[in-house]
PDB file of all heavy atoms in Angstrom:
ATOM      1  N   THR L 301       2.195 -16.130  -7.841  1.00  0.00           N
ATOM      2  CA  THR L 301       3.623 -16.188  -8.177  1.00  0.00           C
ATOM      3  C   THR L 301       4.142 -17.622  -8.074  1.00  0.00           C
ATOM      4  O   THR L 301       4.878 -18.095  -8.952  1.00  0.00           O
ATOM      5  CB  THR L 301       4.419 -15.252  -7.232  1.00  0.00           C
ATOM      6  OG1 THR L 301       4.134 -13.910  -7.603  1.00  0.00           O
ATOM      7  CG2 THR L 301       5.912 -15.492  -7.306  1.00  0.00           C
ATOM      8  N   ILE L 302       3.736 -18.323  -7.022  1.00  0.00           N
ATOM      9  CA  ILE L 302       4.206 -19.699  -6.815  1.00  0.00           C
ATOM     10  C   ILE L 302       3.715 -20.599  -7.953  1.00  0.00           C
ATOM     11  O   ILE L 302       4.492 -21.373  -8.541  1.00  0.00           O
ATOM     12  CB  ILE L 302       3.736 -20.208  -5.426  1.00  0.00           C
ATOM     13  CG1 ILE L 302       4.540 -19.501  -4.318  1.00  0.00           C
ATOM     14  CG2 ILE L 302       3.876 -21.731  -5.323  1.00  0.00           C
ATOM     15  CD1 ILE L 302       4.035 -19.727  -2.905  1.00  0.00           C
ATOM     16  N   VAL L 303       2.442 -20.468  -8.312  1.00  0.00           N
ATOM     17  CA  VAL L 303       1.888 -21.299  -9.391  1.00  0.00           C
ATOM     18  C   VAL L 303       2.619 -20.994 -10.708  1.00  0.00           C
ATOM     19  O   VAL L 303       2.964 -21.905 -11.479  1.00  0.00           O
ATOM     20  CB  VAL L 303       0.361 -21.065  -9.535  1.00  0.00           C
ATOM     21  CG1 VAL L 303      -0.196 -21.744 -10.778  1.00  0.00           C
ATOM     22  CG2 VAL L 303      -0.372 -21.569  -8.286  1.00  0.00           C
ATOM     23  N   THR L 304       2.901 -19.720 -10.949  1.00  0.00           N
ATOM     24  CA  THR L 304       3.557 -19.318 -12.202  1.00  0.00           C
ATOM     25  C   THR L 304       4.997 -19.829 -12.253  1.00  0.00           C
ATOM     26  O   THR L 304       5.441 -20.361 -13.278  1.00  0.00           O
ATOM     27  CB  THR L 304       3.518 -17.774 -12.349  1.00  0.00           C
ATOM     28  OG1 THR L 304       2.176 -17.349 -12.170  1.00  0.00           O
ATOM     29  CG2 THR L 304       4.012 -17.330 -13.703  1.00  0.00           C
ATOM     30  N   ALA L 305       5.699 -19.689 -11.128  1.00  0.00           N
ATOM     31  CA  ALA L 305       7.086 -20.170 -11.079  1.00  0.00           C
ATOM     32  C   ALA L 305       7.110 -21.680 -11.314  1.00  0.00           C
ATOM     33  O   ALA L 305       7.979 -22.211 -12.011  1.00  0.00           O
ATOM     34  CB  ALA L 305       7.722 -19.814  -9.738  1.00  0.00           C
ATOM     35  N   ARG L 306       6.129 -22.375 -10.735  1.00  0.00           N
ATOM     36  CA  ARG L 306       6.075 -23.842 -10.881  1.00  0.00           C
ATOM     37  C   ARG L 306       5.651 -24.266 -12.282  1.00  0.00           C
ATOM     38  O   ARG L 306       5.816 -25.428 -12.653  1.00  0.00           O
ATOM     39  CB  ARG L 306       5.130 -24.430  -9.815  1.00  0.00           C
ATOM     40  CG  ARG L 306       5.748 -24.332  -8.428  1.00  0.00           C
ATOM     41  CD  ARG L 306       4.871 -24.934  -7.368  1.00  0.00           C
ATOM     42  NE  ARG L 306       4.505 -26.307  -7.650  1.00  0.00           N
ATOM     43  CZ  ARG L 306       3.952 -27.138  -6.769  1.00  0.00           C
ATOM     44  NH1 ARG L 306       3.721 -26.704  -5.549  1.00  0.00           N
ATOM     45  NH2 ARG L 306       3.651 -28.367  -7.101  1.00  0.00           N
ATOM     46  N   ALA L 307       5.092 -23.322 -13.039  1.00  0.00           N
ATOM     47  CA  ALA L 307       4.771 -23.619 -14.438  1.00  0.00           C
ATOM     48  C   ALA L 307       6.011 -23.389 -15.312  1.00  0.00           C
ATOM     49  O   ALA L 307       5.935 -23.435 -16.536  1.00  0.00           O
ATOM     50  CB  ALA L 307       3.608 -22.758 -14.910  1.00  0.00           C
ATOM     51  N   GLY L 308       7.143 -23.114 -14.660  1.00  0.00           N
ATOM     52  CA  GLY L 308       8.413 -22.993 -15.384  1.00  0.00           C
ATOM     53  C   GLY L 308       8.660 -21.612 -15.961  1.00  0.00           C
ATOM     54  O   GLY L 308       9.565 -21.431 -16.774  1.00  0.00           O
ATOM     55  N   LYS L 309       7.850 -20.644 -15.540  1.00  0.00           N
ATOM     56  CA  LYS L 309       8.026 -19.307 -16.108  1.00  0.00           C
ATOM     57  C   LYS L 309       9.193 -18.582 -15.424  1.00  0.00           C
ATOM     58  O   LYS L 309       9.629 -18.941 -14.342  1.00  0.00           O
ATOM     59  CB  LYS L 309       6.729 -18.499 -15.972  1.00  0.00           C
ATOM     60  CG  LYS L 309       5.536 -19.107 -16.678  1.00  0.00           C
ATOM     61  CD  LYS L 309       5.645 -19.133 -18.205  1.00  0.00           C
ATOM     62  CE  LYS L 309       5.713 -17.777 -18.853  1.00  0.00           C
ATOM     63  NZ  LYS L 309       4.412 -17.263 -19.279  1.00  0.00           N
ATOM     64  N   SER L 314       6.731 -14.530 -13.235  1.00  0.00           N
ATOM     65  CA  SER L 314       6.251 -14.969 -11.919  1.00  0.00           C
ATOM     66  C   SER L 314       5.926 -13.758 -11.049  1.00  0.00           C
ATOM     67  O   SER L 314       4.913 -13.734 -10.345  1.00  0.00           O
ATOM     68  CB  SER L 314       7.306 -15.842 -11.227  1.00  0.00           C
ATOM     69  OG  SER L 314       7.656 -16.931 -12.064  1.00  0.00           O
ATOM     70  N   LYS L 468      12.024 -22.169  -7.358  1.00  0.00           N
ATOM     71  CA  LYS L 468      13.072 -22.635  -8.286  1.00  0.00           C
ATOM     72  C   LYS L 468      14.103 -23.450  -7.499  1.00  0.00           C
ATOM     73  O   LYS L 468      14.541 -24.505  -7.932  1.00  0.00           O
ATOM     74  CB  LYS L 468      13.760 -21.454  -8.973  1.00  0.00           C
ATOM     75  CG  LYS L 468      12.823 -20.529  -9.714  1.00  0.00           C
ATOM     76  CD  LYS L 468      12.666 -20.943 -11.162  1.00  0.00           C
ATOM     77  CE  LYS L 468      11.741 -19.983 -11.890  1.00  0.00           C
ATOM     78  NZ  LYS L 468      11.023 -20.615 -13.005  1.00  0.00           N
TER      79      LYS L 468
END
Side-chain angles (χ1 to χ4, degrees):
T301 288
I302 288 170
V303 171
T304 308
R306 289 182 55 167
K309 300 293 297 266
S314 304
K468 304 269 181 208

